[in-house]
PDB file of all heavy atoms in Angstrom:
ATOM      1  N   THR D 230       4.926 -26.109  35.382  1.00 62.00           N
ATOM      2  CA  THR D 230       5.358 -25.537  36.667  1.00 62.00           C
ATOM      3  C   THR D 230       5.257 -24.022  36.712  1.00 62.00           C
ATOM      4  O   THR D 230       5.534 -23.426  37.740  1.00 62.00           O
ATOM      5  CB  THR D 230       6.820 -25.901  36.965  1.00 62.00           C
ATOM      6  OG1 THR D 230       7.645 -25.363  35.939  1.00 62.00           O
ATOM      7  CG2 THR D 230       7.007 -27.383  37.079  1.00 62.00           C
ATOM      8  N   CYS D 231       4.858 -23.426  35.611  1.00 60.00           N
ATOM      9  CA  CYS D 231       4.863 -21.961  35.494  1.00 60.00           C
ATOM     10  C   CYS D 231       6.308 -21.488  35.606  1.00 60.00           C
ATOM     11  O   CYS D 231       7.191 -22.104  35.056  1.00 60.00           O
ATOM     12  CB  CYS D 231       3.974 -21.321  36.536  1.00 60.00           C
ATOM     13  SG  CYS D 231       2.258 -21.849  36.393  1.00 60.00           S
ATOM     14  N   LYS D 232       6.546 -20.460  36.343  1.00 67.00           N
ATOM     15  CA  LYS D 232       7.904 -19.949  36.480  1.00 67.00           C
ATOM     16  C   LYS D 232       8.639 -20.721  37.573  1.00 67.00           C
ATOM     17  O   LYS D 232       8.118 -20.914  38.663  1.00 67.00           O
ATOM     18  CB  LYS D 232       7.889 -18.468  36.821  1.00 67.00           C
ATOM     19  CG  LYS D 232       7.315 -17.599  35.737  1.00 67.00           C
ATOM     20  CD  LYS D 232       7.308 -16.148  36.149  1.00 67.00           C
ATOM     21  CE  LYS D 232       6.690 -15.295  35.066  1.00 67.00           C
ATOM     22  NZ  LYS D 232       6.591 -13.896  35.485  1.00 67.00           N
ATOM     23  N   ARG D 233       9.850 -21.158  37.298  1.00 65.00           N
ATOM     24  CA  ARG D 233      10.644 -21.928  38.267  1.00 65.00           C
ATOM     25  C   ARG D 233      10.793 -21.168  39.571  1.00 65.00           C
ATOM     26  O   ARG D 233      10.756 -21.753  40.651  1.00 65.00           O
ATOM     27  CB  ARG D 233      12.023 -22.249  37.664  1.00 65.00           C
ATOM     28  CG  ARG D 233      13.062 -22.782  38.635  1.00 65.00           C
ATOM     29  CD  ARG D 233      12.654 -24.143  39.207  1.00 65.00           C
ATOM     30  NE  ARG D 233      13.674 -24.659  40.085  1.00 65.00           N
ATOM     31  CZ  ARG D 233      13.577 -24.704  41.410  1.00 65.00           C
ATOM     32  NH1 ARG D 233      12.518 -24.248  42.019  1.00 65.00           N
ATOM     33  NH2 ARG D 233      14.554 -25.205  42.137  1.00 65.00           N
ATOM     34  N   GLU D 234      10.931 -19.864  39.513  1.00 70.00           N
ATOM     35  CA  GLU D 234      11.128 -19.057  40.721  1.00 70.00           C
ATOM     36  C   GLU D 234       9.894 -19.089  41.614  1.00 70.00           C
ATOM     37  O   GLU D 234       9.982 -18.868  42.810  1.00 70.00           O
ATOM     38  CB  GLU D 234      11.443 -17.599  40.366  1.00 70.00           C
ATOM     39  CG  GLU D 234      12.632 -17.412  39.449  1.00 70.00           C
ATOM     40  CD  GLU D 234      12.285 -17.641  37.977  1.00 70.00           C
ATOM     41  OE1 GLU D 234      11.191 -17.271  37.514  1.00 70.00           O
ATOM     42  OE2 GLU D 234      13.134 -18.234  37.291  1.00 70.00           O
ATOM     43  N   GLU D 235       8.723 -19.360  41.016  1.00 75.00           N
ATOM     44  CA  GLU D 235       7.480 -19.370  41.787  1.00 75.00           C
ATOM     45  C   GLU D 235       7.029 -20.766  42.165  1.00 75.00           C
ATOM     46  O   GLU D 235       6.215 -20.934  43.061  1.00 75.00           O
ATOM     47  CB  GLU D 235       6.382 -18.672  40.976  1.00 75.00           C
ATOM     48  CG  GLU D 235       6.665 -17.205  40.740  1.00 75.00           C
ATOM     49  CD  GLU D 235       5.639 -16.550  39.832  1.00 75.00           C
ATOM     50  OE1 GLU D 235       4.610 -17.175  39.510  1.00 75.00           O
ATOM     51  OE2 GLU D 235       5.878 -15.392  39.436  1.00 75.00           O
ATOM     52  N   PHE D 236       7.525 -21.784  41.483  1.00 73.00           N
ATOM     53  CA  PHE D 236       7.141 -23.162  41.748  1.00 73.00           C
ATOM     54  C   PHE D 236       8.057 -23.738  42.820  1.00 73.00           C
ATOM     55  O   PHE D 236       9.239 -23.912  42.605  1.00 73.00           O
ATOM     56  CB  PHE D 236       7.244 -24.004  40.476  1.00 73.00           C
ATOM     57  CG  PHE D 236       6.957 -25.457  40.685  1.00 73.00           C
ATOM     58  CD1 PHE D 236       5.657 -25.899  40.810  1.00 73.00           C
ATOM     59  CD2 PHE D 236       7.990 -26.374  40.774  1.00 73.00           C
ATOM     60  CE1 PHE D 236       5.372 -27.236  41.006  1.00 73.00           C
ATOM     61  CE2 PHE D 236       7.725 -27.718  40.967  1.00 73.00           C
ATOM     62  CZ  PHE D 236       6.412 -28.149  41.089  1.00 73.00           C
ATOM     63  N   ALA D 237       7.516 -24.021  43.987  1.00 76.00           N
ATOM     64  CA  ALA D 237       8.292 -24.569  45.102  1.00 76.00           C
ATOM     65  C   ALA D 237       9.597 -23.808  45.286  1.00 76.00           C
ATOM     66  O   ALA D 237      10.685 -24.375  45.197  1.00 76.00           O
ATOM     67  CB  ALA D 237       8.550 -26.057  44.883  1.00 76.00           C
ATOM     68  N   PRO D 238       9.518 -22.511  45.550  1.00 78.00           N
ATOM     69  CA  PRO D 238      10.723 -21.673  45.585  1.00 78.00           C
ATOM     70  C   PRO D 238      11.726 -22.048  46.671  1.00 78.00           C
ATOM     71  O   PRO D 238      12.917 -21.799  46.517  1.00 78.00           O
ATOM     72  CB  PRO D 238      10.169 -20.261  45.812  1.00 78.00           C
ATOM     73  CG  PRO D 238       8.859 -20.473  46.482  1.00 78.00           C
ATOM     74  CD  PRO D 238       8.317 -21.747  45.899  1.00 78.00           C
ATOM     75  N   ASN D 239      11.266 -22.662  47.747  1.00 82.00           N
ATOM     76  CA  ASN D 239      12.177 -23.016  48.844  1.00 82.00           C
ATOM     77  C   ASN D 239      12.565 -24.486  48.840  1.00 82.00           C
ATOM     78  O   ASN D 239      13.245 -24.947  49.748  1.00 82.00           O
ATOM     79  CB  ASN D 239      11.534 -22.655  50.183  1.00 82.00           C
ATOM     80  CG  ASN D 239      11.238 -21.173  50.275  1.00 82.00           C
ATOM     81  OD1 ASN D 239      12.064 -20.361  49.895  1.00 82.00           O
ATOM     82  ND2 ASN D 239      10.061 -20.834  50.744  1.00 82.00           N
ATOM     83  N   ALA D 240      12.123 -25.222  47.823  1.00 82.00           N
ATOM     84  CA  ALA D 240      12.374 -26.660  47.782  1.00 82.00           C
ATOM     85  C   ALA D 240      13.607 -27.013  46.973  1.00 82.00           C
ATOM     86  O   ALA D 240      13.962 -26.327  46.021  1.00 82.00           O
ATOM     87  CB  ALA D 240      11.161 -27.377  47.185  1.00 82.00           C
ATOM     88  N   ARG D 241      14.233 -28.067  47.374  1.00 85.00           N
ATOM     89  CA  ARG D 241      15.274 -28.691  46.562  1.00 85.00           C
ATOM     90  C   ARG D 241      14.550 -29.732  45.715  1.00 85.00           C
ATOM     91  O   ARG D 241      13.918 -30.630  46.253  1.00 85.00           O
ATOM     92  CB  ARG D 241      16.329 -29.331  47.434  1.00 85.00           C
ATOM     93  CG  ARG D 241      17.053 -28.303  48.289  1.00 85.00           C
ATOM     94  CD  ARG D 241      18.325 -28.889  48.830  1.00 85.00           C
ATOM     95  NE  ARG D 241      19.008 -27.908  49.623  1.00 85.00           N
ATOM     96  CZ  ARG D 241      20.037 -27.193  49.192  1.00 85.00           C
ATOM     97  NH1 ARG D 241      20.484 -27.361  47.977  1.00 85.00           N
ATOM     98  NH2 ARG D 241      20.626 -26.321  49.977  1.00 85.00           N
ATOM     99  N   ILE D 242      14.625 -29.578  44.409  1.00 82.00           N
ATOM    100  CA  ILE D 242      13.870 -30.453  43.515  1.00 82.00           C
ATOM    101  C   ILE D 242      14.767 -31.545  42.973  1.00 82.00           C
ATOM    102  O   ILE D 242      15.843 -31.282  42.444  1.00 82.00           O
ATOM    103  CB  ILE D 242      13.231 -29.648  42.370  1.00 82.00           C
ATOM    104  CG1 ILE D 242      12.242 -28.631  42.958  1.00 82.00           C
ATOM    105  CG2 ILE D 242      12.535 -30.578  41.386  1.00 82.00           C
ATOM    106  CD1 ILE D 242      11.591 -27.739  41.945  1.00 82.00           C
ATOM    107  N   ILE D 243      14.295 -32.786  43.139  1.00 84.00           N
ATOM    108  CA  ILE D 243      14.996 -33.957  42.636  1.00 84.00           C
ATOM    109  C   ILE D 243      14.105 -34.586  41.574  1.00 84.00           C
ATOM    110  O   ILE D 243      12.969 -34.962  41.855  1.00 84.00           O
ATOM    111  CB  ILE D 243      15.283 -34.967  43.760  1.00 84.00           C
ATOM    112  CG1 ILE D 243      16.139 -34.316  44.848  1.00 84.00           C
ATOM    113  CG2 ILE D 243      15.940 -36.219  43.202  1.00 84.00           C
ATOM    114  CD1 ILE D 243      16.272 -35.147  46.102  1.00 84.00           C
ATOM    115  N   SER D 244      14.603 -34.678  40.358  1.00 84.00           N
ATOM    116  CA  SER D 244      13.845 -35.224  39.242  1.00 84.00           C
ATOM    117  C   SER D 244      14.415 -36.580  38.860  1.00 84.00           C
ATOM    118  O   SER D 244      15.613 -36.715  38.607  1.00 84.00           O
ATOM    119  CB  SER D 244      13.916 -34.268  38.051  1.00 84.00           C
ATOM    120  OG  SER D 244      13.316 -34.839  36.915  1.00 84.00           O
ATOM    121  N   VAL D 245      13.548 -37.607  38.835  1.00 87.00           N
ATOM    122  CA  VAL D 245      13.936 -38.954  38.408  1.00 87.00           C
ATOM    123  C   VAL D 245      13.164 -39.252  37.138  1.00 87.00           C
ATOM    124  O   VAL D 245      11.932 -39.252  37.132  1.00 87.00           O
ATOM    125  CB  VAL D 245      13.615 -40.008  39.495  1.00 87.00           C
ATOM    126  CG1 VAL D 245      14.021 -41.391  39.022  1.00 87.00           C
ATOM    127  CG2 VAL D 245      14.292 -39.659  40.806  1.00 87.00           C
ATOM    128  N   ASN D 246      13.899 -39.482  36.049  1.00 85.00           N
ATOM    129  CA  ASN D 246      13.267 -39.667  34.754  1.00 85.00           C
ATOM    130  C   ASN D 246      14.081 -40.657  33.938  1.00 85.00           C
ATOM    131  O   ASN D 246      15.300 -40.697  34.058  1.00 85.00           O
ATOM    132  CB  ASN D 246      13.198 -38.317  34.021  1.00 85.00           C
ATOM    133  CG  ASN D 246      12.141 -38.288  32.949  1.00 85.00           C
ATOM    134  OD1 ASN D 246      11.926 -39.267  32.250  1.00 85.00           O
ATOM    135  ND2 ASN D 246      11.471 -37.155  32.816  1.00 85.00           N
ATOM    136  N   THR D 247      13.417 -41.450  33.106  1.00 85.00           N
ATOM    137  CA  THR D 247      14.144 -42.416  32.274  1.00 85.00           C
ATOM    138  C   THR D 247      14.860 -41.747  31.110  1.00 85.00           C
ATOM    139  O   THR D 247      15.753 -42.332  30.527  1.00 85.00           O
ATOM    140  CB  THR D 247      13.199 -43.502  31.725  1.00 85.00           C
ATOM    141  OG1 THR D 247      12.144 -42.867  31.007  1.00 85.00           O
ATOM    142  CG2 THR D 247      12.649 -44.359  32.835  1.00 85.00           C
ATOM    143  N   LYS D 248      14.456 -40.537  30.780  1.00 80.00           N
ATOM    144  CA  LYS D 248      15.119 -39.781  29.712  1.00 80.00           C
ATOM    145  C   LYS D 248      16.116 -38.820  30.343  1.00 80.00           C
ATOM    146  O   LYS D 248      15.887 -38.290  31.421  1.00 80.00           O
ATOM    147  CB  LYS D 248      14.107 -38.976  28.904  1.00 80.00           C
ATOM    148  CG  LYS D 248      13.090 -39.809  28.167  1.00 80.00           C
ATOM    149  CD  LYS D 248      12.139 -38.928  27.399  1.00 80.00           C
ATOM    150  CE  LYS D 248      11.130 -38.337  28.372  1.00 80.00           C
ATOM    151  NZ  LYS D 248      10.110 -37.509  27.731  1.00 80.00           N
ATOM    152  N   LYS D 249      17.223 -38.596  29.676  1.00 76.00           N
ATOM    153  CA  LYS D 249      18.204 -37.634  30.166  1.00 76.00           C
ATOM    154  C   LYS D 249      17.690 -36.237  29.863  1.00 76.00           C
ATOM    155  O   LYS D 249      17.659 -35.805  28.719  1.00 76.00           O
ATOM    156  CB  LYS D 249      19.567 -37.868  29.512  1.00 76.00           C
ATOM    157  CG  LYS D 249      20.647 -36.940  30.021  1.00 76.00           C
ATOM    158  CD  LYS D 249      20.912 -37.162  31.497  1.00 76.00           C
ATOM    159  CE  LYS D 249      21.992 -36.215  31.983  1.00 76.00           C
ATOM    160  NZ  LYS D 249      21.995 -36.075  33.411  1.00 76.00           N
ATOM    161  N   VAL D 250      17.218 -35.600  30.905  1.00 69.00           N
ATOM    162  CA  VAL D 250      16.731 -34.229  30.771  1.00 69.00           C
ATOM    163  C   VAL D 250      17.386 -33.399  31.862  1.00 69.00           C
ATOM    164  O   VAL D 250      17.722 -33.902  32.923  1.00 69.00           O
ATOM    165  CB  VAL D 250      15.191 -34.140  30.910  1.00 69.00           C
ATOM    166  CG1 VAL D 250      14.510 -34.785  29.725  1.00 69.00           C
ATOM    167  CG2 VAL D 250      14.710 -34.760  32.198  1.00 69.00           C
ATOM    168  N   SER D 251      17.578 -32.157  31.597  1.00 65.00           N
ATOM    169  CA  SER D 251      18.180 -31.291  32.593  1.00 65.00           C
ATOM    170  C   SER D 251      17.404 -29.983  32.645  1.00 65.00           C
ATOM    171  O   SER D 251      17.330 -29.261  31.650  1.00 65.00           O
ATOM    172  CB  SER D 251      19.641 -31.019  32.264  1.00 65.00           C
ATOM    173  OG  SER D 251      20.193 -30.184  33.250  1.00 65.00           O
ATOM    174  N   PHE D 252      16.813 -29.748  33.790  1.00 67.00           N
ATOM    175  CA  PHE D 252      16.053 -28.522  33.966  1.00 67.00           C
ATOM    176  C   PHE D 252      16.719 -27.608  34.978  1.00 67.00           C
ATOM    177  O   PHE D 252      16.137 -26.654  35.434  1.00 67.00           O
ATOM    178  CB  PHE D 252      14.619 -28.837  34.400  1.00 67.00           C
ATOM    179  CG  PHE D 252      13.824 -29.508  33.312  1.00 67.00           C
ATOM    180  CD1 PHE D 252      13.626 -30.875  33.323  1.00 67.00           C
ATOM    181  CD2 PHE D 252      13.296 -28.771  32.273  1.00 67.00           C
ATOM    182  CE1 PHE D 252      12.903 -31.495  32.325  1.00 67.00           C
ATOM    183  CE2 PHE D 252      12.574 -29.385  31.263  1.00 67.00           C
ATOM    184  CZ  PHE D 252      12.375 -30.751  31.284  1.00 67.00           C
ATOM    185  N   GLY D 253      17.944 -27.946  35.356  1.00 69.00           N
ATOM    186  CA  GLY D 253      18.667 -27.088  36.282  1.00 69.00           C
ATOM    187  C   GLY D 253      18.205 -27.220  37.719  1.00 69.00           C
ATOM    188  O   GLY D 253      18.376 -26.308  38.511  1.00 69.00           O
ATOM    189  N   PHE D 254      17.610 -28.363  38.055  1.00 73.00           N
ATOM    190  CA  PHE D 254      17.211 -28.578  39.429  1.00 73.00           C
ATOM    191  C   PHE D 254      18.415 -29.048  40.231  1.00 73.00           C
ATOM    192  O   PHE D 254      19.480 -29.312  39.684  1.00 73.00           O
ATOM    193  CB  PHE D 254      16.066 -29.595  39.516  1.00 73.00           C
ATOM    194  CG  PHE D 254      14.807 -29.108  38.854  1.00 73.00           C
ATOM    195  CD1 PHE D 254      14.218 -29.834  37.843  1.00 73.00           C
ATOM    196  CD2 PHE D 254      14.228 -27.911  39.228  1.00 73.00           C
ATOM    197  CE1 PHE D 254      13.063 -29.389  37.232  1.00 73.00           C
ATOM    198  CE2 PHE D 254      13.072 -27.447  38.620  1.00 73.00           C
ATOM    199  CZ  PHE D 254      12.487 -28.190  37.614  1.00 73.00           C
ATOM    200  N   GLU D 255      18.239 -29.194  41.518  1.00 80.00           N
ATOM    201  CA  GLU D 255      19.361 -29.588  42.370  1.00 80.00           C
ATOM    202  C   GLU D 255      19.918 -30.950  41.967  1.00 80.00           C
ATOM    203  O   GLU D 255      21.111 -31.186  42.038  1.00 80.00           O
ATOM    204  CB  GLU D 255      18.923 -29.620  43.849  1.00 80.00           C
ATOM    205  CG  GLU D 255      18.833 -28.265  44.484  1.00 80.00           C
ATOM    206  CD  GLU D 255      17.658 -27.422  43.985  1.00 80.00           C
ATOM    207  OE1 GLU D 255      16.670 -27.963  43.455  1.00 80.00           O
ATOM    208  OE2 GLU D 255      17.732 -26.196  44.116  1.00 80.00           O
ATOM    209  N   LEU D 256      19.029 -31.847  41.533  1.00 84.00           N
ATOM    210  CA  LEU D 256      19.493 -33.177  41.159  1.00 84.00           C
ATOM    211  C   LEU D 256      18.599 -33.734  40.060  1.00 84.00           C
ATOM    212  O   LEU D 256      17.382 -33.851  40.242  1.00 84.00           O
ATOM    213  CB  LEU D 256      19.465 -34.097  42.382  1.00 84.00           C
ATOM    214  CG  LEU D 256      20.123 -35.444  42.297  1.00 84.00           C
ATOM    215  CD1 LEU D 256      21.573 -35.343  41.841  1.00 84.00           C
ATOM    216  CD2 LEU D 256      20.062 -36.139  43.647  1.00 84.00           C
ATOM    217  N   ASP D 257      19.168 -34.032  38.898  1.00 84.00           N
ATOM    218  CA  ASP D 257      18.464 -34.678  37.797  1.00 84.00           C
ATOM    219  C   ASP D 257      19.030 -36.089  37.679  1.00 84.00           C
ATOM    220  O   ASP D 257      20.207 -36.260  37.344  1.00 84.00           O
ATOM    221  CB  ASP D 257      18.682 -33.916  36.484  1.00 84.00           C
ATOM    222  CG  ASP D 257      17.982 -32.571  36.465  1.00 84.00           C
ATOM    223  OD1 ASP D 257      16.790 -32.521  36.818  1.00 84.00           O
ATOM    224  OD2 ASP D 257      18.621 -31.576  36.093  1.00 84.00           O
ATOM    225  N   ILE D 258      18.201 -37.093  37.961  1.00 86.00           N
ATOM    226  CA  ILE D 258      18.648 -38.484  37.953  1.00 86.00           C
ATOM    227  C   ILE D 258      18.020 -39.206  36.774  1.00 86.00           C
ATOM    228  O   ILE D 258      16.803 -39.202  36.602  1.00 86.00           O
ATOM    229  CB  ILE D 258      18.255 -39.194  39.273  1.00 86.00           C
ATOM    230  CG1 ILE D 258      18.909 -38.496  40.458  1.00 86.00           C
ATOM    231  CG2 ILE D 258      18.626 -40.674  39.219  1.00 86.00           C
ATOM    232  CD1 ILE D 258      18.425 -38.969  41.800  1.00 86.00           C
ATOM    233  N   CYS D 259      18.865 -39.826  35.948  1.00 87.00           N
ATOM    234  CA  CYS D 259      18.391 -40.606  34.819  1.00 87.00           C
ATOM    235  C   CYS D 259      18.346 -42.067  35.270  1.00 87.00           C
ATOM    236  O   CYS D 259      19.378 -42.735  35.378  1.00 87.00           O
ATOM    237  CB  CYS D 259      19.325 -40.434  33.621  1.00 87.00           C
ATOM    238  SG  CYS D 259      18.741 -41.273  32.140  1.00 87.00           S
ATOM    239  N   ALA D 260      17.124 -42.537  35.592  1.00 90.00           N
ATOM    240  CA  ALA D 260      16.964 -43.904  36.097  1.00 90.00           C
ATOM    241  C   ALA D 260      15.507 -44.325  35.983  1.00 90.00           C
ATOM    242  O   ALA D 260      14.615 -43.482  35.895  1.00 90.00           O
ATOM    243  CB  ALA D 260      17.403 -43.988  37.552  1.00 90.00           C
ATOM    244  N   ASP D 261      15.293 -45.619  36.006  1.00 91.00           N
ATOM    245  CA  ASP D 261      13.947 -46.161  36.089  1.00 91.00           C
ATOM    246  C   ASP D 261      13.425 -45.912  37.506  1.00 91.00           C
ATOM    247  O   ASP D 261      14.139 -46.171  38.485  1.00 91.00           O
ATOM    248  CB  ASP D 261      13.994 -47.670  35.788  1.00 91.00           C
ATOM    249  CG  ASP D 261      12.628 -48.293  35.857  1.00 91.00           C
ATOM    250  OD1 ASP D 261      11.867 -48.156  34.885  1.00 91.00           O
ATOM    251  OD2 ASP D 261      12.321 -48.893  36.903  1.00 91.00           O
ATOM    252  N   ALA D 262      12.221 -45.426  37.641  1.00 89.00           N
ATOM    253  CA  ALA D 262      11.680 -45.057  38.952  1.00 89.00           C
ATOM    254  C   ALA D 262      11.652 -46.246  39.920  1.00 89.00           C
ATOM    255  O   ALA D 262      11.992 -46.100  41.098  1.00 89.00           O
ATOM    256  CB  ALA D 262      10.283 -44.467  38.799  1.00 89.00           C
ATOM    257  N   SER D 263      11.265 -47.419  39.447  1.00 91.00           N
ATOM    258  CA  SER D 263      11.188 -48.573  40.357  1.00 91.00           C
ATOM    259  C   SER D 263      12.570 -48.963  40.869  1.00 91.00           C
ATOM    260  O   SER D 263      12.723 -49.292  42.050  1.00 91.00           O
ATOM    261  CB  SER D 263      10.500 -49.758  39.685  1.00 91.00           C
ATOM    262  OG  SER D 263      11.238 -50.204  38.565  1.00 91.00           O
ATOM    263  N   ASN D 264      13.589 -48.898  40.017  1.00 91.00           N
ATOM    264  CA  ASN D 264      14.952 -49.200  40.471  1.00 91.00           C
ATOM    265  C   ASN D 264      15.430 -48.154  41.477  1.00 91.00           C
ATOM    266  O   ASN D 264      16.081 -48.483  42.470  1.00 91.00           O
ATOM    267  CB  ASN D 264      15.925 -49.245  39.295  1.00 91.00           C
ATOM    268  CG  ASN D 264      15.667 -50.414  38.383  1.00 91.00           C
ATOM    269  OD1 ASN D 264      15.061 -51.397  38.764  1.00 91.00           O
ATOM    270  ND2 ASN D 264      16.107 -50.300  37.144  1.00 91.00           N
ATOM    271  N   PHE D 265      15.111 -46.895  41.225  1.00 90.00           N
ATOM    272  CA  PHE D 265      15.495 -45.823  42.135  1.00 90.00           C
ATOM    273  C   PHE D 265      14.840 -46.020  43.502  1.00 90.00           C
ATOM    274  O   PHE D 265      15.497 -45.948  44.538  1.00 90.00           O
ATOM    275  CB  PHE D 265      15.096 -44.470  41.538  1.00 90.00           C
ATOM    276  CG  PHE D 265      15.400 -43.308  42.427  1.00 90.00           C
ATOM    277  CD1 PHE D 265      16.675 -42.769  42.462  1.00 90.00           C
ATOM    278  CD2 PHE D 265      14.420 -42.763  43.239  1.00 90.00           C
ATOM    279  CE1 PHE D 265      16.971 -41.693  43.298  1.00 90.00           C
ATOM    280  CE2 PHE D 265      14.697 -41.694  44.068  1.00 90.00           C
ATOM    281  CZ  PHE D 265      15.976 -41.155  44.096  1.00 90.00           C
ATOM    282  N   ILE D 266      13.539 -46.299  43.501  1.00 90.00           N
ATOM    283  CA  ILE D 266      12.812 -46.489  44.766  1.00 90.00           C
ATOM    284  C   ILE D 266      13.340 -47.697  45.515  1.00 90.00           C
ATOM    285  O   ILE D 266      13.520 -47.645  46.739  1.00 90.00           O
ATOM    286  CB  ILE D 266      11.295 -46.597  44.509  1.00 90.00           C
ATOM    287  CG1 ILE D 266      10.768 -45.245  44.023  1.00 90.00           C
ATOM    288  CG2 ILE D 266      10.556 -47.035  45.767  1.00 90.00           C
ATOM    289  CD1 ILE D 266       9.349 -45.278  43.512  1.00 90.00           C
ATOM    290  N   GLU D 267      13.597 -48.793  44.820  1.00 90.00           N
ATOM    291  CA  GLU D 267      14.162 -49.981  45.472  1.00 90.00           C
ATOM    292  C   GLU D 267      15.493 -49.660  46.128  1.00 90.00           C
ATOM    293  O   GLU D 267      15.781 -50.115  47.242  1.00 90.00           O
ATOM    294  CB  GLU D 267      14.321 -51.121  44.460  1.00 90.00           C
ATOM    295  CG  GLU D 267      13.026 -51.780  44.078  1.00 90.00           C
ATOM    296  CD  GLU D 267      13.204 -52.824  42.987  1.00 90.00           C
ATOM    297  OE1 GLU D 267      14.360 -53.193  42.674  1.00 90.00           O
ATOM    298  OE2 GLU D 267      12.168 -53.263  42.444  1.00 90.00           O
ATOM    299  N   GLY D 268      16.337 -48.882  45.441  1.00 88.00           N
ATOM    300  CA  GLY D 268      17.636 -48.509  46.007  1.00 88.00           C
ATOM    301  C   GLY D 268      17.493 -47.651  47.254  1.00 88.00           C
ATOM    302  O   GLY D 268      18.192 -47.862  48.247  1.00 88.00           O
ATOM    303  N   ILE D 269      16.570 -46.696  47.213  1.00 85.00           N
ATOM    304  CA  ILE D 269      16.336 -45.840  48.377  1.00 85.00           C
ATOM    305  C   ILE D 269      15.804 -46.678  49.535  1.00 85.00           C
ATOM    306  O   ILE D 269      16.257 -46.547  50.675  1.00 85.00           O
ATOM    307  CB  ILE D 269      15.338 -44.710  48.031  1.00 85.00           C
ATOM    308  CG1 ILE D 269      15.957 -43.743  47.031  1.00 85.00           C
ATOM    309  CG2 ILE D 269      14.848 -43.983  49.272  1.00 85.00           C
ATOM    310  CD1 ILE D 269      17.118 -42.938  47.546  1.00 85.00           C
ATOM    311  N   LEU D 270      14.825 -47.544  49.256  1.00 85.00           N
ATOM    312  CA  LEU D 270      14.236 -48.358  50.320  1.00 85.00           C
ATOM    313  C   LEU D 270      15.258 -49.295  50.955  1.00 85.00           C
ATOM    314  O   LEU D 270      15.236 -49.515  52.166  1.00 85.00           O
ATOM    315  CB  LEU D 270      13.044 -49.157  49.791  1.00 85.00           C
ATOM    316  CG  LEU D 270      11.804 -48.339  49.468  1.00 85.00           C
ATOM    317  CD1 LEU D 270      10.720 -49.233  48.866  1.00 85.00           C
ATOM    318  CD2 LEU D 270      11.284 -47.628  50.701  1.00 85.00           C
ATOM    319  N   SER D 271      16.179 -49.825  50.165  1.00 84.00           N
ATOM    320  CA  SER D 271      17.191 -50.717  50.733  1.00 84.00           C
ATOM    321  C   SER D 271      18.086 -49.972  51.713  1.00 84.00           C
ATOM    322  O   SER D 271      18.544 -50.524  52.708  1.00 84.00           O
ATOM    323  CB  SER D 271      18.030 -51.369  49.632  1.00 84.00           C
ATOM    324  OG  SER D 271      18.879 -50.420  49.020  1.00 84.00           O
ATOM    325  N   ARG D 272      18.321 -48.696  51.455  1.00 81.00           N
ATOM    326  CA  ARG D 272      19.130 -47.897  52.379  1.00 81.00           C
ATOM    327  C   ARG D 272      18.336 -47.507  53.622  1.00 81.00           C
ATOM    328  O   ARG D 272      18.861 -47.478  54.719  1.00 81.00           O
ATOM    329  CB  ARG D 272      19.670 -46.670  51.678  1.00 81.00           C
ATOM    330  CG  ARG D 272      20.785 -46.996  50.716  1.00 81.00           C
ATOM    331  CD  ARG D 272      21.237 -45.761  49.959  1.00 81.00           C
ATOM    332  NE  ARG D 272      22.455 -45.958  49.226  1.00 81.00           N
ATOM    333  CZ  ARG D 272      22.593 -46.651  48.112  1.00 81.00           C
ATOM    334  NH1 ARG D 272      21.547 -47.263  47.600  1.00 81.00           N
ATOM    335  NH2 ARG D 272      23.744 -46.747  47.504  1.00 81.00           N
TER     336      ARG D 272
END
């Protein structure tokens, strides 16, 4: 992503990953992508 300040500077970044990682984004979600997408689609 290069520098965080330059990568999508006006965006709220939501990261969905099966590993617990924290990059200081607005939302770091530890979940399987297919389960996450199914949950969003149901809503």
